[in-house]
Amino acid sequence: MTWATEAGDGTRLALRVQPRASRNEVVGPHGDALKVRLAAPPVDGAANDALVRFLAEALELPRAAVRLIGGLSSRSKAVHVAGLAPSEVARRLGMPER
């Protein structure tokens, strides 16, 4: 699972985001990243906010536990998830562990 790595008190996620999709969903592995589709447009940080909200809900965590740490204006993003191991993040997102 190259898209989820242990990072201190949680997990670092490497994501590839597709804004303006028909719905919010986790698609699956995309190279060394995890592809996520978001309905929000990439305007004024709307897609970044939608990504944090979507991941927090999917991972059953408060929004404060999910933090965008890289790729603010890129489709490739880095996210830190506090308090969960990579294997638990994969399980909660419905992704198989490898």
Side-chain angles (χ1 to χ4, degrees), residues 76-98:
S76 297
K77 302 198 181 286
V79 173
H80 182 265
V81 178
L84 290 181
S87 59
E88 183 61 15
V89 170
R91 186 189 71 75
R92 290 186 186 193
L93 293 177
M95 294 292 114
E97 286 186 62
R98 290 186 194 183

Side-chain angles (χ1 to χ4, degrees), residues 55-71:
L55 288 175
E57 184 178 310
L59 295 170
E60 301 170 2
L61 293 171
R63 273 193 230 171
V66 179
R67 189 169 41 98
L68 189 61
I69 58 174

Side-chain angles (χ1 to χ4, degrees), residues 1-4 12-17 26-36 75-78 95:
M1 217 175 19
T2 57
W3 53 267
R12 182 184 186 276
L13 301 178
L15 303 175
R16 181 72 176 172
V17 176
V26 175
V27 178
H30 181 81
D32 287 341
L34 182 66
K35 186 169 184 179
V36 177
R75 287 180 180 232
S76 297
K77 302 198 181 286
M95 294 292 114

Side-chain angles (χ1 to χ4, degrees), residues 9-58:
D9 66 337
T11 299
R12 182 184 186 276
L13 301 178
L15 303 175
R16 181 72 176 172
V17 176
Q18 177 188 339
R20 287 197 174 119
S22 59
R23 63 183 176 159
N24 296 338
E25 65 181 336
V26 175
V27 178
H30 181 81
D32 287 341
L34 182 66
K35 186 169 184 179
V36 177
R37 290 186 181 134
L38 297 172
V43 178
D44 297 329
N48 290 336
D49 293 341
L51 176 64
V52 170
R53 278 193 315 274
F54 173 69
L55 288 175
E57 184 178 310

